Amino acid sequence: TAGLVVSGDIPIVWEFLLANPSAAWYNVLTAITSASGQISIFYTIQQFGPIVFTIIMTTRQMLSICLSTIIFGHHLTIKALLGAIIVFGVLF
């Protein structure tokens, strides 16, 4: 918002949101999910510590990479596979 004020782009954004009301809804939805995610992160770190949080996030990334290669047919190069093995191997 500060950037929009400084650049003078608020009227342009306002005009866009009036012309595309669904975009405003998506902005609200993004704000809610972002805030919820931050609350979850803070809660997890507070209750279980940063190491458990790191394990959770690394596991999530590992699953995301595996699903991406399976579902969307993305290929991992040898360097990427080696890097993933090092990163995930150190954690587990």
Side-chain angles (χ1 to χ4, degrees):
T1 304
L4 294 175
V5 171
V6 171
S7 67
D9 287 338
I10 285 184
I12 295 169
V13 172
W14 185 253
E15 181 181 334
F16 175 81
L17 291 175
L18 288 176
N20 302 287
S22 63
W25 168 246
Y26 288 122
N27 283 342
V28 169
L29 189 61
T30 300
I32 291 170
T33 56
S34 295
S36 301
Q38 288 299 313
I39 290 170
S40 298
I41 289 169
F42 292 138
Y43 177 80
T44 302
I45 292 172
Q46 181 183 33
Q47 294 296 315
F48 304 105
I51 294 174
V52 171
F53 177 73
T54 302
I55 292 170
I56 291 170
M57 295 309 290
T58 304
T59 303
R60 181 188 69 82
Q61 279 298 111
M62 183 174 58
L63 290 174
S64 176
I65 290 170
C66 292
L67 289 175
S68 177
T69 58
I70 293 168
I71 294 173
F72 300 110
H74 295 153
H75 300 285
L76 292 177
T77 63
I78 296 298
K79 288 181 184 178
L81 188 57
L82 182 60
I85 289 170
I86 291 170
V87 169
F88 301 132
V90 168
L91 189 60
F92 299 108

